[in-house]
Amino acid sequence: MSRLKLWLPLAAFAFFVGLAAYMLFTPRDTAVASALVGKQVPDFELPAASSARPGVSIADLTNGQPKLLNIWASWCVPCIAEAPQLETLESAGIPIVGVAIRDSGEDVDRFLDTHGNPYTRIGADDISQVQLSIGSSGVPETFVVDGSGTITYQHIGDIRPEHVPLLIEEWRKAGGR
């Protein structure tokens, strides 16, 4: 009995060290699978968030042309970091529709003047209703939407330079040329 008392704590310690080593060296799956990929964007209509672009509605996402739907805000620091990548995507011919979350028109205009305006349209989502209805929980997030309004891909977080080729590929898979 006394030998068991001696070896049991050592065995428990060895088990936890082994488990910790396994967790440290096993690659994690950091991709978040969205429940809305493959589903239609819900019906919505948002007024313009900026004096520079018209508002957004579901009709803008169901006109046969695939787009990126970018959820962002002027108060969002990662949105500043992704602004150059959105310009790159827009330069590649990808139409980008924006939804500004809980923002003011003046702040949106100031952001666009400072960091560029890659958007064809920008809607004001003052109470995050559209944001929540499409499964977005933060800013920035970007969705690839095919020409019929179906979400085909969701990118969570800011778009970094290494993400641009993947988003172009996903847009092409959605029917973009």
Side-chain angles (χ1 to χ4, degrees):
M1 183 69 175
S2 64
R3 291 188 94 168
L4 183 61
K5 284 183 179 179
L6 178 68
W7 289 103
L8 191 58
L10 186 59
F13 177 74
F15 172 76
F16 286 114
V17 169
L19 180 64
Y22 173 76
M23 296 300 284
L24 283 173
F25 296 108
T26 302
R28 294 184 327 159
D29 182 10
T30 57
V32 177
S34 172
L36 292 188
V37 171
K39 295 188 178 171
Q40 188 78 17
V41 174
D43 190 19
F44 72 95
E45 184 169 352
L46 296 174
S50 165
S51 61
R53 296 289 188 262
V56 180
S57 73
I58 187 66
D60 300 309
L61 299 173
T62 57
N63 62 4
Q65 185 181 26
K67 297 175 178 61
L68 297 184
L69 174 62
N70 181 245
I71 308 295
W72 67 285
S74 66
W75 43 263
C76 160
V77 174
C79 296
I80 295 170
E82 83 168 358
Q85 286 66 249
L86 289 173
E87 293 276 340
T88 300
L89 291 163
E90 191 263 339
S91 296
I94 300 176
I96 304 171
V97 172
V99 172
I101 304 300
R102 300 178 183 260
D103 228 323
S104 73
E106 296 82 24
D107 290 341
V108 169
D109 285 341
R110 192 174 12 261
F111 182 95
L112 298 174
D113 288 343
T114 304
H115 304 290
N117 185 354
Y119 302 104
T120 59
R121 309 178 80 82
I122 306 170
D125 192 1
D126 296 334
I127 58 171
S128 297
Q129 185 175 8
V130 171
Q131 179 190 25
L132 296 174
S133 72
I134 63 172
S136 169
S137 59
V139 289
E141 285 191 35
T142 303
F143 298 83
V144 177
V145 180
D146 73 9
S148 67
T150 300
I151 296 170
T152 61
Y153 182 76
Q154 180 179 6
H155 178 87
I156 297 174
D158 58 308
I159 300 169
R160 297 183 181 166
E162 63 267 23
H163 301 140
V164 169
L166 174 64
L167 283 166
I168 291 172
E169 179 184 327
E170 292 296 332
W171 177 73
R172 286 186 177 142
K173 283 184 195 173
R177 299 170 205 243

